[in-house]
Each structure stands twice: as structure tokens, then as C-alpha cells.
Amino acid sequence: SQQGEEDPQALSIQEGENATMNCSYKTSINNLQWYRQNSGRGLVHLILIRSNEREKHSGRLRVTLDTSKKSSSLLITASRAADTASYFCAPGHSSGGGADGLTFGKGTHLIIQP
Amino acid sequence: DSGVTQTPKHLITATGQRVTLRCSPRSGDLSVYWYQQSLDQGLQFLIHYYNGEERAKGNILERFSAQQFPDLHSELNLSSLELGDSALYFCASSPTGGRTGELFFGEGSRLTVL
């Protein structure tokens, strides 16, 4: 499969805690993206990390990438109720011509409890 | 606001009917992707158009078809509808035709087949 697989499927934490979710993929990539989806809404791009990068930050988000393990993690620090959403990773694969759309797994459903 | 517009937002119809979903990409984006999201299947890539031409097909049923017009808007036609076609249909656009770039998603069209 060319899609990323997010883990855990669901995560519930208290507001203010950090949330970590993981993504695994199977083939070589050019980059990997993370998206957020609020319930019933469109996906929103959060961050893109290139295959030659190991870590990237954007506000309260920290993404790591380990190409040797074919895995990535998304850390959300100091979580807020508004972070409640589903999070998807999307590996940008380097093979296959590139015409296919990004493929998505089933996501991690994050619930931030007040 | 992603700049991608989808209409209608909600649609309720009966089995056997045909519907057309419309997508206007972000200004200047040449690529349009269609996705279907249902509870059991997750987010499935359907089809990709680039500058009016079909570039890639994913899990699109033969009852479904799409096209991209010279003004770059796209339509997804769903015919002989079945109960299982009830889902959220997303359109996403991108300035490039490759699979590794950021996608900008619309808010989706929620189709209910009764």
C-alpha cells in the first residue's frame, strides 16, 4: 500500500497535555505531509517535511521523520480543545510518475478533554 | 478558507438517481482531485485531472465519471446511485500535477442516498 497508516486510531488526552501520533509507510518518499480534519470538514494542510529533513516545527507542531524506519510522528504540544480533530499523514512517494493523488489512511482521531 | 469551492454542500436523493457535484479549484491551480470519504472506507482517492486531462484513476466506480472544463472547474457525475454511495465527496486542488505537493481541500459535498 502507498498510503500512510496512522497510529493510534484514537487518542484522548486532557487539555494542556501533549499529543503524539505516528505514521508508517512502505515505500520511499520525497516528502510526507500531515493534514487535519475537523468533523465533517475538508482536510487542512498542517506541515510538510522533506525526505532529507529529520525534524520540522510549526507553532505548537513538531514533526519528525525517520526514513530508515519509514515512519513519522506528529507532536502537538500544550493541546487545546480546538485541536480535537482527525489527523492524517500522506507520504509523497517518489515512484510511479506522480499523477496519483495523495493517499490517506484512516487517521488518528484526537479528542482533547477540557 | 482554502479557496476551493464545492457545490452543493448537501444533497439528498434516491437510489437509482444521478447527481452532479461541482468543484472550482483555487485560482491558478491546474490539478483537481476527487476523494470519497465514508465511515467504513476512509478517504479514498477517486480521480485526478490536470489542465483538462485525466491523469490518474483510483477507486472510482464505473457508475462515476468526472471531467475538467477549460475554465478548470470540475464535475463529478454519480449515476445509478446506491445506498452505499452515501458519503462525503471532497475536491482538492494543487498547482502541480505531481503527487508530492500540498493539496487544498474544499469543504465537501455530503451525499445521502435514501
Side-chain angles (χ1 to χ4, degrees):
Chain A
S1 168
Q2 295 178 334
Q3 70 189 39
E5 305 226 351
E6 298 88 356
D7 177 74
Q9 289 186 346
L11 178 61
S12 179
I13 62 173
Q14 295 294 124
E15 193 167 18
E17 293 180 341
N18 295 342
T20 299
M21 53 207 85
N22 304 296
C23 169
S24 59
Y25 57 91
K26 294 188 177 177
T27 61
S28 62
I29 60 172
N30 286 335
N31 61 43
L32 186 140
Q33 301 179 52
W34 284 90
Y35 287 78
R36 182 188 74 229
Q37 183 183 31
N38 291 90
S39 181
R41 307 289 300 274
L43 277 70
V44 174
H45 179 262
L46 293 176
I47 196 165
L48 180 153
I49 186 166
R50 302 187 192 285
S51 60
N52 62 354
E53 297 175 309
R54 291 296 166 258
E55 187 170 311
K56 197 164 183 178
H57 297 253
S58 176
R60 293 184 296 112
L61 306 180
R62 180 172 78 98
V63 168
T64 62
L65 178 64
D66 187 336
T67 53
S68 67
K69 295 181 179 178
K70 292 187 170 57
S71 67
S72 174
S73 68
L74 171 67
L75 168 68
I76 304 174
T77 61
S79 63
R80 305 168 181 169
D83 295 328
T84 293
S86 291
Y87 292 81
F88 298 87
C89 69
H93 292 282
S94 54
S95 63
D100 295 0
L102 289 175
T103 51
F104 297 88
K106 299 209 171 174
T108 291
H109 184 47
L110 175 64
I111 298 173
I112 308 299
Q113 297 182 354
Chain B
D1 182 4
S2 67
V4 177
T5 303
Q6 289 188 248
T7 57
K9 286 185 171 32
H10 300 275
L11 193 54
I12 301 174
T13 189
T15 55
Q17 295 299 305
R18 172 190 171 94
V19 298
T20 297
L21 309 179
R22 182 188 168 103
C23 169
S24 294
R26 291 188 326 154
S27 177
D29 283 358
L30 299 179
S31 273
V32 169
Y33 302 82
W34 285 97
Y35 288 85
Q36 177 194 57
Q37 187 176 39
S38 58
L39 282 175
D40 55 341
Q41 294 292 324
L43 195 62
Q44 299 284 314
F45 165 65
L46 295 179
I47 197 164
H48 169 209
Y49 276 84
Y50 178 78
N51 202 21
E53 294 189 3
E54 180 186 305
R55 289 291 299 271
K57 273 188 174 180
N59 301 319
I60 188 166
L61 300 172
E62 286 194 7
R63 299 182 287 107
F64 296 179
S65 65
Q67 55 185 326
Q68 186 180 28
F69 295 86
D71 67 353
L72 301 177
H73 91 272
S74 178
E75 293 181 356
L76 179 67
N77 301 295
L78 316 175
S79 61
S80 303
L81 286 168
E82 301 176 358
L83 296 177
D85 298 328
S86 295
L88 261 173
Y89 291 85
F90 288 105
C91 161
S93 75
S94 167
T96 68
R99 102 172 23 143
T100 59
E102 177 181 348
L103 297 185
F104 297 86
F105 281 79
E107 289 299 316
S109 293
R110 182 176 293 279
L111 173 65
T112 302
V113 182
L114 301 176

